[in-house]
Amino acid sequence: MKHTISLLVENSVGSLLRIAGMFSGRGFNIDSISVGASEEKGMSRMTIVTQGDDEIIEQINKQLHKCINVIKVFDLTQEAFVHRELALIKVKATQAERLEIMQIVEVFRAKIIDICPSGLTVETTGTEDKINAIISMLRPFGLKEVSRTGRIAVKRDFQGSVN
Amino acid sequence: MFVTTAPTAEKNRINKAERTAAPVLTGAEIFIESLVKEGVDTIFGYPGGALIGLYDYLYKNNQLRHLLVTHEQGGAHAADGYARATGKPGVVLVTSGPGATNTVTGIATAFMDSIPLLVFTGQVPSNMIGNDAFQEADILGITRPITKHSFLVRDVADLADTIHKAFHIAVTGRPGPVLVDLPKDMLAAKTTYFPSKNIDLPGYKPTVKGSFRQVRNAAGLLQSAKKPVIYVGGGAILSNAAKEVTEFARKLNAPVTTTLLGLGIFPETDDLSLGMLGMHGTWYANKAVDDCDLLIAIGARFDDRVTGNLKKFSPHSKKMQIDIDPSCIGKNVPVDLPIVGDIKTVLAELNTCVESCDSSEWLQEIAQWKIEHPLRYREIEGSLKPQQVIEALSKATKGNAIIASDVGQHQMWVAQWYQFTQPRSHLSSGGLGTMGFGVPAALGAQVGKPDRTVIGIVGDGGFQMTSMEIATAVRYNIPVKYVILNNGYLGMVRQWQQIFFDKRYSNTHLNPTNPDFKKLAESYGAFSLRVKNIEELHDAFDKMLAIDDRPVVLDVWVSPEENVFPMIPANGSFADILEGNE
């Protein structure tokens, strides 16, 4: 099963290497890993998406706790959480195709952030499914470059039922 | 108790005043000062370009005893042996590049067995890091998977705090090796020596005390057991919990089996002792684990050399496990009742509420197994059996020596035939299985325990991997003893080749090209004897144990094709146990 784990880690190159190395050394999967500054000075927040059965996920959580650079480990999968991924997609576009691409972009509520005679750069944010979908829609025009951030996630503060 | 803290402004004022009064020292001086403050008395090291400035301070300062080893790998193993024997962290100091990389096997050995080791490596100057400078190696990168933690010192002002953090991490929680990389300029730079009063590691808070509820639950589970087995590993020794383990076993009235690294935690002379379990454990220990209804793992991690086939391991029992490292719990075997905490602390608490369980029938059954399936070997007139050598040594030293073994057949015979009576007396590379560990580890143990008899028992293969450390022992008149069980083979591999590969002895025959070990030892300045029969053996032990001013090497020729039994083949279960026909 897919798990989203959010970590608060010391902000150092060593932290990322130690965590990534622990995953590869112990044969755990990483679907995506994304890291950036957090609200606390000197601390980064890292979101890791991984897969495994319950025993493996338990080991992953325990091994993450053991890393001395890791301050906190939250396996968000047990709780309600929101997650997003950002992608920048450079797609080929002839003058004739531009309009069609812009329509697709609009349907996905994405944005065109750069344009040149031979193509467009699209920015899109959403779940992985949505990003996969827009990429599939744009692929026929010719993808020049795709850059994705991997998932970032936070827990929902309101955990109750909305109804 | 109330703890009143001064208002921040007040604290800052005091800090500022103290800081102004603090001395200005070089990094090298701070290094020495910090080690002394940590209670270090001995370091094992080897100088080089990146450390030459630091070695100048070591020359001028006599607060630290520096032992010049012969190879950095030996230095790491010696510090490891020192740590295992004394319970204090071992300290290694080596130069950059090859000096650092030579310690890798030693660090990995300590990591696998959770031994507190401080490895200080020289590094090229900060501004040259990454330039492929002379004797540069990314030792932090190389050792990341085999250290508990590591640091690169980037600012001399952080040096003292970094060293104290490194010691704290190495010795607390589940211990392990910590590496500190010291760029050459950091040792030369000067700063105000003003270490922090507290160690600040927000991501590191090991659990020491067991959960109250779990301890109560455990007491209930223990009382209901009819056929309990206590299975103790190296974690109990690291926690210095021999007294608590013994009290626990006696109170519960349950038999005790130990792993290779747990040997010595419980006296093997006791009726409740089952000796070692696992691949080369006793028949009755393995049978008891196979039959028990409650298996109590204490500081043990269900290693594959203990469990064999996980699906068939101790199939009828509930499992209880006490360990300081949560990741050890449920990693290989599901556990019904885990307690995370320091073993000494948890057992002390458990001992206040545990009562004897109804184990009398079970103990009678086990006593019968001990009679029917004892450890055994067949003596042969005119030839020395390796088991016979260890048994004789156990008697000659009354089970009170510190024994460091290497890796292979002799290691198992030590575990089976030396009757350990005290903890921290059996030093062996259990997890990594490092050949070449025995010679330097015994040396380090003797340095740390000058009043004990320390004997390294090694094979003729492993001896040659690190035999040059005899030069170190001679250099400092360290009276460490070595017994080479010389069978002319890489015996354990040969045994597998005999049993599983139809006697195709591929690359395991060392004779007749082995050197003359007696001459080799003598050329270093050690005392040495060759032993070929039981009379010579007794005489040699007498002479060896009387020498206290230099190392001793006994080259003991034992029967070449002796095998270690019992044996449960890899990934097998108790049903597959081979008792041998000897």
Side-chain angles (χ1 to χ4, degrees):
Chain A
M1 186 188 160
K2 198 172 246 200
H3 278 245
T4 303
I5 300 171
S6 172
L7 307 175
L8 190 66
V9 303
E10 272 174 39
N11 184 7
S12 69
V13 183
S15 300
L16 178 61
L17 291 178
R18 204 168 275 281
I19 291 163
M22 186 279 284
F23 270 81
S24 73
R26 293 189 179 268
F28 302 141
N29 290 309
I30 300 183
D31 286 3
S32 75
I33 185 164
S34 99
V35 58
S38 75
E39 71 286 357
E40 282 183 56
K41 193 168 165 261
M43 301 287 168
S44 301
R45 180 155 274 108
M46 191 179 285
T47 311
I48 297 175
V49 180
T50 182
Q51 293 187 43
D53 57 27
D54 290 354
E55 286 88 53
I56 291 191
I57 297 295
E58 186 185 329
Q59 261 304 308
I60 290 175
N61 277 294
K62 285 174 170 176
Q63 293 292 346
L64 284 168
H65 269 291
K66 255 172 90 168
C67 294
I68 286 159
N69 302 117
V70 174
I71 316 294
K72 284 178 188 159
V73 182
F74 307 95
D75 188 344
L76 295 171
T77 320
Q78 328 293 350
E79 308 179 69
F81 67 104
V82 283
H83 61 93
R84 288 292 181 271
E85 181 173 351
L86 181 124
L88 297 177
I89 306 159
K90 262 190 202 172
V91 59
K92 286 182 197 160
T94 60
Q95 220 157 357
E97 289 164 338
R98 264 190 207 155
L99 203 61
E100 197 184 338
I101 292 175
M102 286 164 88
Q103 277 172 347
I104 293 170
V105 165
E106 199 169 325
V107 169
F108 282 96
R109 274 168 300 198
K111 272 196 292 192
I112 290 167
I113 56 167
D114 194 22
I115 187 161
C116 71
S118 62
L120 301 163
T121 300
V122 177
E123 173 201 311
T124 181
T125 310
T127 62
E128 290 86 349
D129 288 351
K130 174 184 158 182
I131 290 170
N132 292 340
I134 188 169
I135 289 172
S136 309
M137 289 304 292
L138 295 176
R139 189 178 297 280
F141 300 97
L143 296 174
K144 285 161 81 177
E145 195 176 335
V146 174
S147 180
R148 300 174 67 157
T149 58
R151 178 185 285 195
I152 55 168
V154 290
K155 191 175 124 177
R156 274 190 197 279
D157 281 336
F158 185 71
Q159 292 275 319
S161 156
V162 188
N163 299 324
Chain B
M1 214 176 79
F2 288 96
V3 180
T4 49
T5 46
T8 317
E10 176 70 1
K11 258 191 347 203
N12 286 346
R13 197 181 58 77
I14 295 170
N15 273 355
K16 206 174 165 192
E18 281 185 29
R19 184 183 281 278
T20 324
V24 173
L25 301 179
T26 63
E29 287 171 304
I30 291 173
F31 174 83
I32 294 171
E33 199 66 37
S34 306
L35 262 60
V36 170
K37 214 171 148 194
E38 287 290 345
V40 174
D41 50 28
T42 306
I43 52 182
F44 299 87
Y46 207 99
L51 288 182
I52 196 158
L54 174 57
Y55 269 80
D56 191 48
Y57 280 98
L58 284 173
Y59 185 83
K60 295 185 239 171
N61 182 313
N62 57 6
Q63 287 173 282
L64 290 175
R65 181 185 186 202
H66 177 278
L67 297 187
L68 173 65
V69 295
T70 311
H71 187 294
E72 290 93 345
Q73 182 191 351
H77 290 320
D80 178 322
Y82 173 96
R84 289 181 204 238
T86 62
K88 296 195 288 183
V91 181
V92 194
L93 177 64
V94 294
T95 194
S96 64
T101 57
N102 275 344
T103 63
V104 166
T105 302
I107 298 172
T109 304
F111 183 71
M112 287 290 270
D113 291 346
S114 310
I115 304 303
L117 206 63
L118 276 299
V119 184
F120 294 98
T121 51
Q123 183 53 278
V124 301
S126 308
N127 64 344
M128 291 168 80
I129 290 178
N131 288 358
D132 301 326
F134 176 66
Q135 290 196 330
E136 180 183 358
D138 173 14
I139 195 64
L140 246 68
I142 291 168
T143 57
R144 193 168 288 115
I146 52 167
T147 47
K148 184 171 173 187
H149 200 58
S150 50
F151 296 95
L152 167 65
V153 178
R154 293 165 187 273
D155 181 347
V156 67
D158 297 334
L159 178 62
D161 283 1
T162 302
I163 292 173
H164 296 310
K165 279 181 191 172
F167 272 89
H168 178 72
I169 294 170
V171 302
T172 53
R174 179 180 181 181
V178 178
L179 186 140
V180 182
D181 207 16
L182 304 166
K184 189 172 184 175
D185 53 323
M186 291 298 129
L187 295 168
K190 286 187 173 183
T191 188
T192 314
Y193 174 61
F194 188 67
S196 306
K197 296 208 166 57
N198 299 310
I199 288 165
D200 180 31
L201 286 164
Y204 180 67
K205 299 206 167 39
T207 310
V208 173
K209 208 173 161 330
S211 131
F212 177 76
R213 228 180 72 195
Q214 288 297 79
V215 171
R216 293 287 137 181
N217 290 343
L221 186 65
L222 292 166
Q223 238 63 90
S224 63
K226 294 265 188 295
K227 301 202 265 179
V229 170
I230 304 171
Y231 145 51
V232 194
I237 288 182
L238 294 168
S239 166
N240 296 314
K243 193 179 120 243
E244 288 76 10
V245 167
T246 307
E247 189 185 335
F248 177 67
R250 297 245 164 85
K251 278 197 160 165
L252 186 63
N253 202 24
V256 180
T257 180
T258 68
T259 67
L260 182 70
L261 292 189
L263 289 171
I265 195 77
F266 187 77
E268 293 190 26
T269 41
D270 196 291
D271 280 346
L272 288 174
S273 172
L274 299 172
M276 185 173 75
L277 83 164
M279 182 178 272
H280 292 296
T282 61
W283 191 95
Y284 41 90
N286 285 313
K287 173 72 174 162
V289 168
D290 195 53
D291 265 23
C292 66
D293 65 357
L294 177 65
L295 187 65
I296 307 148
I298 300 178
R301 58 186 177 87
F302 296 91
D303 173 75
D304 59 272
R305 285 301 191 258
V306 161
T307 63
N309 187 335
L310 284 169
K311 288 199 184 81
K312 296 176 184 166
F313 175 71
S314 193
H316 316 296
S317 64
K318 288 210 160 174
K319 315 281 187 303
M320 178 181 146
Q321 187 178 4
I322 310 173
D323 206 291
I324 198 158
D325 179 1
S327 76
C328 272
I329 292 175
K331 184 171 66 180
N332 298 331
V333 171
V335 172
D336 303 283
L337 199 148
I339 303 178
V340 175
D342 168 53
I343 286 156
K344 192 181 179 72
T345 315
V346 171
L347 280 184
E349 207 180 328
L350 199 52
N351 282 340
T352 62
C353 52
V354 82
E355 282 165 41
S356 175
C357 69
D358 182 14
S359 58
S360 51
E361 265 181 52
W362 173 236
L363 291 175
Q364 278 172 24
E365 209 177 339
I366 289 172
Q368 193 58 34
W369 295 337
K370 283 187 178 179
I371 294 165
E372 287 164 9
H373 299 274
L375 282 175
R376 63 206 161 95
Y377 63 90
R378 188 191 292 158
E379 285 185 35
I380 292 175
E381 193 72 31
S383 100
L384 257 183
K385 283 291 174 89
Q387 300 93 324
Q388 206 175 355
V389 177
I390 309 293
E391 204 179 15
L393 187 66
S394 184
K395 283 187 185 134
T397 56
K398 301 187 180 67
N400 285 325
I402 293 176
I403 305 287
S405 61
D406 210 72
V407 170
Q409 284 184 313
H410 72 276
Q411 180 190 28
M412 295 298 112
W413 286 317
V414 166
Q416 292 178 339
W417 292 96
Y418 196 92
Q419 287 215 310
F420 292 96
T421 55
Q422 329 172 27
R424 299 197 177 279
S425 299
H426 171 252
L427 323 177
S428 193
S429 166
L432 197 68
T434 308
M435 279 176 72
F437 172 80
V439 173
L443 170 88
Q446 185 73 81
V447 169
K449 288 281 180 187
D451 302 329
R452 296 274 301 271
T453 298
V454 180
I455 305 169
I457 298 178
V458 297
D460 47 320
F463 178 72
Q464 294 182 74
M465 287 194 177
T466 45
S467 59
M468 67 291 230
E469 296 306 333
I470 291 171
T472 313
V474 170
R475 186 175 300 130
Y476 299 102
N477 302 315
I478 299 165
V480 57
K481 283 99 180 142
Y482 294 105
V483 176
I484 307 173
L485 291 185
N486 183 352
N487 59 5
Y489 280 110
L490 299 173
M492 187 57 96
V493 182
R494 187 208 55 74
Q495 172 171 342
W496 284 45
Q497 288 171 338
Q498 178 185 340
I499 299 173
F500 307 117
F501 295 90
D502 203 16
K503 285 201 175 182
R504 290 188 298 279
Y505 293 167
S506 174
N507 292 280
T508 43
H509 198 200
L510 299 180
N511 268 338
T513 47
N514 263 340
D516 180 328
F517 293 121
K518 182 169 184 291
K519 276 192 192 159
L520 179 69
E522 285 169 350
S523 78
Y524 280 119
F527 176 81
S528 186
L529 288 173
R530 178 163 297 120
V531 175
K532 292 181 180 172
N533 58 48
I534 192 77
E535 292 76 30
E536 287 174 1
L537 185 74
H538 290 308
D539 178 55
F541 281 166
D542 288 346
K543 288 195 172 122
M544 172 176 88
L545 294 171
I547 289 176
D548 63 359
D549 60 347
R550 62 195 149 138
V552 178
V553 176
L554 301 187
D555 177 19
V556 183
W557 289 17
V558 294
S559 52
E561 296 195 34
E562 186 71 14
N563 289 332
V564 184
F565 288 115
M567 177 180 192
I568 300 177
N571 204 33
S573 71
F574 179 70
D576 307 314
I577 197 164
L578 308 172
E579 285 198 87
N581 47 12
E582 275 131 304

